[in-house]
Structures are given as C-alpha cells and as structure tokens.
Amino acid sequence: MQITDPDGSVPSEVPEGRPRTEEPRRLEARLTDADRLYRAVVSSGAAATLLLITLIGIFLLIGALPALKEAGFSFLTTKEWNPDGQSPSFGVAAMMFGTLVSAVVAMGITVPVAVCTALFINEYAPPAVRNGLTSLVDLMAAIPSIIFAIWGLFFLVPTLTPIEDWVVEQIGSWFPLAAASATGSSLFNAGLIIACMTIPITTSIIREVLSQAPRHECEGALALGGTRWGMITSVILPFGKGGIIGGSMLGLGRALGETLAATLILSIAFEIKPRILENGGITVASGIAIQFRDARDMGLSALMAAGLALFLVTFVINFLAAMVVSRSRSGAST
C-alpha cells in the first residue's frame, strides 16, 4: 500500500517544525503485479469450478434426453429397470428410494457420533492426546471406500446378522420397519457401512469449526458459574451450528454418491422396501455401476438420466445447506 497526495504524486518529506498547508493525504491501495496474479489465479479457479459443474450437468442432460423422452414423467415413479427390452420400462423410483434410505440411516448415525467426537477432542480430551486424536480422525477420512466396504462385507455384516435376526424375532411382528424374511444384505447395513465412511470427514470439519468458538465467551460462561456442559450448549454449539450443518451436508453428499459399499453389501433388487432390515435394495450409484457394462443405447441414456436425477438432488441439498450455513454465526465468520 502506498500513500499518495490527492493529485496522485508521492509527497515529499516535510521539514521538522514546518506545518503542512496541503489537503489531508488519503490512503490509496494499489495492487502490485503479485496481487493481480493471485487474484487472477483464484478467480480462474472459482470460474473453472462453476464451469465444470455446468458442463457436467449439460453432459448428463444431453445423454438423458432420449430416455426422458421415452419414459416421460413415469421415469420418476417406475420401479422396474428394463430400458433395453422390446417394450422399455424403467425409472428411478426404487433406486432413489434406496439412495435416500441408506443416506438417512448413514446420517442418523454420523451426525451424533461426529458432534460428540468433535466435542470430546476439543473440550474433554487431555492436551497430550488431542493432537493424536485429531490426526487419527483425519487419517481415517483418507481411507479408501473399498477398504470400508470389504471390512463391512466380511466382518461387520456377519457380526450384525445374528443381532438383526433377534431384533426381527422380538419386535418385527408389531414394528413394520423391523420386519424381515432375511437379513444381512439390507439397506440398513449398507447405510451403516456408509456411516463409517462419512463419520471421519464430518467429524474433521465439525471439530475445526467448533474449535473457532470465541474462547472469551466460553471463559465468561464458566466464570458466571456455568458447568462445562452448560458452556458447550450455550456458547459452542450455537456458534458452530453452521459448521455442523455444513459438515453434515458434506457427509450426506458422500453418502448419496457412495457406490462400492452399496454394490458389495446390497442384494440387488429394484423394489421399494420400507423394511430396512430385509435383504434387497438398490441405490442410484450402485445401479449405475452394475448396469453400465451391459447397457446398450437406451440403457446408457437411462443411466445418464439416473445420474442426472442424483446430480440434481445433491445440488439442491447442498444449495439449501449453503444458505443455512451462510446465515449462521460460524458460517459468517469462517
């Protein structure tokens, strides 16, 4: 930043003791070449991101047009998937239902676990282990999805199956959601494995936001006689509401698009099954992965249409989340 006179010239030094008669100098910020380069790079990156999203949407729309013209509005209500048959009949109702159910199960587990873990690391963990726990959570967020999927398939699901059978036997007769003829390869188990993938990244984001809560307010709450939990509920959680929502939505985005866990865990069935413990189900991502290799012209267009539906759902959810985050205190400050 350079100080200039009103006429743009650089003022000369004034001898000591001699008053200035000119107008008061004003401060004017002049960008250097490095500033302009940085601004151009950042602006180009933001523009490239928006352009890429737009191009993806256009690509999916162009590829989906033949299928959308063939199926019409029934594309949203049809469960069957037979786009390459002599009488094509296909839709995303079953796949979208499975996607939403597995995502709801995953986020129902992810959000409370992530918030509790973030609060423990920031507020309760001893300083000697705090950095280690933070690094461990960040490391878990980098584990590939295939590792979680294989672990779930060969360890978690066989371990949970006897428990689920007992739950079905005890409450399945009067609680419809828990009724099932067979368990193991269900939407609930797929959502549980997806939760294991979303917990680390959601925890990492929430912990980072909650750590930025103003400490003077936290200390003030404690000085007024509040308990640690009272300080958390009255200061930290209200401040971090935007971060909790933002981290949860990022985890939800991964849950909606998770492919490997749903493909390996689910017993594929194009059906709408409200009984989440019963075998069978499909998600949009797993359906695309399974059907892509054998799809022909109309089948490929139908898969593009399914991808477009998932793209729009994810876009709308993240747009609404961004509006909520921007209006929160932590969202405005971070």
Side-chain angles (χ1 to χ4, degrees), residues 52-163:
L52 182 61
I53 293 175
T54 303
L55 291 177
I56 291 175
I58 294 174
F59 169 76
L60 291 174
L61 178 60
I62 293 175
L65 282 177
L68 294 177
K69 291 179 180 179
E70 174 70 27
F73 184 77
S74 64
F75 180 75
L76 299 176
T77 59
T78 301
K79 297 182 294 182
E80 183 183 357
W81 189 264
N82 184 27
D84 291 321
Q86 294 183 351
S87 300
S89 177
F90 54 92
V92 293
M95 291 194 290
M96 194 61 69
F97 175 82
T99 299
L100 295 178
V101 169
S102 60
V104 168
V105 171
M107 298 314 299
I109 298 171
T110 296
V111 174
V113 172
V115 172
C116 292
T117 304
L119 289 174
F120 174 78
I121 294 175
N122 285 347
E123 305 299 330
Y124 290 98
V129 300
R130 187 172 299 165
N131 291 335
L133 291 176
T134 301
S135 299
L136 181 61
V137 171
D138 294 340
L139 179 63
M140 290 182 63
I143 296 177
S145 301
I146 186 64
I147 304 299
F148 284 105
I150 293 175
W151 173 77
L153 178 64
F154 291 105
F155 174 78
L156 189 60
V157 171
T159 302
L160 291 178
T161 299
I163 301 175

Side-chain angles (χ1 to χ4, degrees), residues 247-261:
S248 300
M249 291 303 102
L250 185 60
L252 178 60
R254 179 168 184 180
L256 291 172
E258 180 54 42
T259 305
L260 290 174

Side-chain angles (χ1 to χ4, degrees), residues 1-4 8 10-11 26-30:
M1 181 179 295
Q2 189 177 30
I3 301 177
T4 62
V10 179
R26 67 171 183 268
L27 299 179
E28 180 181 352
R30 293 183 177 180

Side-chain angles (χ1 to χ4, degrees), residues 183-207:
T183 61
S185 302
S186 61
L187 287 171
F188 176 82
N189 287 338
L192 187 60
I193 304 302
I194 294 173
C196 295
M197 304 179 189
T198 57
I199 285 173
I201 188 171
T202 304
T203 301
S204 180
I205 294 173
I206 293 177
R207 187 207 62 79

Side-chain angles (χ1 to χ4, degrees), residues 166-228:
W166 180 84
V167 171
V168 170
E169 182 180 351
Q170 296 297 319
I171 67 175
S173 58
W174 57 269
F175 188 59
L177 293 179
S181 57
T183 61
S185 302
S186 61
L187 287 171
F188 176 82
N189 287 338
L192 187 60
I193 304 302
I194 294 173
C196 295
M197 304 179 189
T198 57
I199 285 173
I201 188 171
T202 304
T203 301
S204 180
I205 294 173
I206 293 177
R207 187 207 62 79
E208 182 64 27
V209 173
L210 296 184
S211 67
Q212 298 179 16
R215 300 314 301 180
H216 64 278
E217 295 185 16
C218 298
E219 294 169 0
L222 295 174
L224 291 173
T227 62
R228 184 180 295 271

